[in-house]
Amino acid sequence: MPDELVVMIDGLEMFGRPGLGPFSIVKDGLDGWDDGVAMKGGKVDRPQAHGSFTLPRFQESRTITATGIILATNALEQELAGNRISGLLAHGGTGRIQVKKAGRITWADASLDGTSVDPRRGSFKSDYQIQLWCPDPRKFGDLNSEAFGTGAPAGAHHRGNAAAAPVVTVDGPVLGGYTITGPAGELYTVAGDLPSGTVHTIDMNDGLLRVNGSISAGVGKVTTADVFAILPGQKATVSIAAFSGNVSGHVTVLDTYI
């Protein structure tokens, strides 16, 4: 059914409807995924005046709790399923949480805060809870890609509810270099030739230039490095122009939610 809840954490699949697998999510058992997160930022009092100075504020990280029941058919299956929960993300690194709801999939990367598994006496059922921490509070969905080139800007867009950082790829050959212009006039300029078969990638999350996927010192000189975001609910014009001749590439934007 398209409205069913399916949660996958580092490959472990859990269902909002019992009977589809050994791991079920109880009603209202996914906490922190649909909620907003608190804001962080300093507050500096205005001396001898009302209120405080206006300072930039940012989103805190996201905490998620998944609560459910293991529905096993025998003691061995119950034991193995419990071990699967207790060993989830035990390596200490990050893994992906993916949530399918109303036919739409969103995802984020998370690390483990803790797990618990409590077998019910006299049955093959166990209650479990998984607590996750997402250092980046944003959730992501589908990838939207738009081609652009000389005289043909891209209408970059996404279907989320938060500002999204696009990724721009530029394909060689390009003579002399090129300039990318963002929706509010931001400029990202790379000087130097881009040979045939070489791809430049600029991720507006960090503003770094990558050559064939790697950060390469001395290959492509960035002379202006304005980063920009694509706001939700609108098409944003992103253009590119070469210093000499033509240039082409793509602007890709993930649906981005908070």
Side-chain angles (χ1 to χ4, degrees):
M1 297 174 63
D3 60 340
E4 284 183 349
L5 173 67
V6 182
V7 179
M8 184 179 291
I9 301 175
D10 201 35
L12 176 66
E13 201 167 31
M14 294 161 280
F15 299 91
R17 181 160 63 93
L20 298 179
F23 302 99
S24 296
I25 297 282
V26 300
K27 184 179 179 181
D28 301 323
L30 184 63
D31 185 53
W33 184 255
D34 292 323
D35 301 325
V37 296
M39 302 296 291
K40 64 179 181 179
K43 296 180 181 179
V44 179
D45 291 339
R46 298 174 63 194
Q48 300 180 357
H50 299 295
S52 303
F53 289 107
T54 301
L55 298 175
R57 306 199 73 194
F58 303 93
Q59 303 279 346
E60 290 276 9
S61 54
R62 182 180 295 276
T63 300
I64 301 165
T65 302
T67 303
I69 301 172
I70 296 171
L71 303 173
T73 58
N74 55 62
L76 178 59
E77 183 180 317
Q78 182 184 27
E79 179 73 13
L80 293 176
N83 288 340
R84 181 72 175 90
I85 293 288
S86 59
L88 193 66
L89 292 172
H91 50 71
T94 59
R96 182 149 295 179
I97 173 172
Q98 177 178 294
V99 177
K100 182 178 181 182
K101 187 168 59 173
R104 181 174 61 96
I105 295 173
T106 52
W107 57 269
D109 290 327
S111 61
L112 181 69
D113 265 353
T115 62
S116 64
V117 181
D118 298 308
R120 297 183 183 182
R121 293 186 63 183
S123 75
F124 300 132
K125 297 179 181 180
S126 300
D127 298 300
Y128 70 86
Q129 189 171 86
I130 303 165
Q131 294 177 317
L132 302 174
W133 174 70
C134 299
D136 186 339
R138 295 174 297 177
K139 302 172 292 186
F140 304 98
D142 292 336
L143 187 67
N144 310 281
S145 182
E146 294 286 336
F148 73 157
T150 302
H157 66 282
H158 72 100
R159 292 176 291 274
N161 66 353
V167 175
V168 179
T169 57
V170 182
D171 304 318
V174 181
L175 297 177
Y178 57 87
T179 295
I180 299 164
T181 303
E186 303 92 343
L187 298 177
Y188 194 103
T189 301
V190 179
D193 294 342
L194 176 58
S196 179
T198 303
V199 177
H200 280 182
T201 304
I202 303 106
D203 186 340
M204 293 298 166
N205 277 298
D206 55 28
L208 297 176
L209 172 67
R210 293 170 173 81
V211 181
N212 290 339
S214 300
I215 300 172
S216 300
V219 182
K221 182 180 179 182
V222 178
T223 58
T224 308
D226 296 339
V227 296
F228 55 88
I230 307 301
L231 298 179
Q234 58 186 270
K235 281 198 172 185
T237 300
V238 181
S239 60
I240 187 169
F243 292 172
S244 176
N246 295 324
V247 61
S248 63
H250 287 81
V251 181
T252 56
V253 190
L254 279 167
D255 291 345
T256 303
Y257 304 85
I258 196 66

